[in-house]
C-alpha cells in the first residue's frame, strides 16, 4: 500500500553536494517516520537520518552530522536528504524507508522499517 521512490543519486567529487528525494505514496499513520539508510559493499546497512512526519523531529547519524540534513515538504509527500561536503566514504546505495507507529526517534533500525524504496546510488570520488 505504501510506495517509496528515491531519486537524486549520482556521481560527484569529494566536497560536492547532492540532494536525494523520496516520494511517499499510500497511507501512513500520523505516527510514521521516514528514514534514509545506506549500504556499501562489505558493510552493514546503516541509518543516515530519519524524521518523524508529524513533528518534524530528526535524527542524524554521527557520521553525517553537520553535513547531511533531512527534511520534508509541507504536504509530507516528499522527504529529502541534503548531502553536503560529500566524502568517498559516503559512497553507497541509499534507501528511503518508512515505518508506522514511530513514537520516538531514539533508535533507527532497518528491521523496524516495513516499507522500502528501490535505492539510489551515490558515488563520491576523491
Amino acid at each position: 500500500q505504501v510506495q517509496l521512490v528515491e531519486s537524486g543519486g549520482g556521481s560527484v567529487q569529494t566536497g560536492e553536494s547532492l540532494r536525494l528525494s523520496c516520494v511517499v505514496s499510500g497511507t501512513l499513520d500520523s505516527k510514521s517516520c521516514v528514514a534514509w539508510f545506506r549500504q556499501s559493499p562489505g558493510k552493514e546497512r546503516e541509518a543516515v537520518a530519519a524524521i518523524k512526519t508529524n513533528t518534524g523531529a530528526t535524527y542524524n547519524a554521527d557520521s553525517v552530522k553537520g553535513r547531511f540534513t533531512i527534511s520534508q515538504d509541507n504536504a509530507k509527500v516528499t522527504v529529502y536528504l541534503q548531502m553536503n561536503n560529500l566524502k568517498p566514504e559516503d559512497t553507497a546505495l541509499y534507501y528511503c524507508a518508512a515505518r508506522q507507529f514511530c513514537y520516538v526517534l531514539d533508535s533507527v533500525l532497518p528491521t523496524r522499517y516495513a516499507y522500502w524504496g528501490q535505492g539510489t546510488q551515490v558515488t563520491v570520488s576523491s
Side-chain angles (χ1 to χ4, degrees), residues 57-68:
T58 59
Y59 158 88
N60 296 103
D62 289 342
S63 60
V64 304
K65 285 182 178 177
R67 299 190 298 121
F68 291 9

Side-chain angles (χ1 to χ4, degrees), residues 37-57:
F37 296 85
R38 66 185 181 187
Q39 188 165 28
S40 57
K43 299 181 68 175
E44 296 293 322
R45 186 169 298 184
E46 64 173 339
V48 176
I51 187 167
K52 291 186 67 177
T53 58
N54 61 336
T55 67

Side-chain angles (χ1 to χ4, degrees), residues 6 18 20 24-26 42 58 61 66-67 83 85 97 102 109 111 119:
E6 306 101 325
L18 284 172
L20 307 183
V24 183
S25 61
T58 59
R67 299 190 298 121
M83 304 184 294
N85 192 24
C102 184
L109 302 175
T111 54

Side-chain angles (χ1 to χ4, degrees), residues 60-106:
N60 296 103
D62 289 342
S63 60
V64 304
K65 285 182 178 177
R67 299 190 298 121
F68 291 9
T69 303
I70 190 170
S71 63
Q72 63 184 354
D73 64 7
N74 291 335
K76 302 178 182 179
V77 173
T78 306
V79 174
Y80 303 96
L81 184 68
Q82 178 67 45
M83 304 184 294
N84 296 327
N85 192 24
L86 284 161
K87 304 175 180 179
E89 50 263 45
D90 296 318
T91 296
L93 187 64
Y94 283 72
Y95 298 91
C96 66
R99 65 165 296 185
Q100 300 189 118
F101 313 114
C102 184
Y103 299 98
V104 295
L105 276 178
D106 57 345

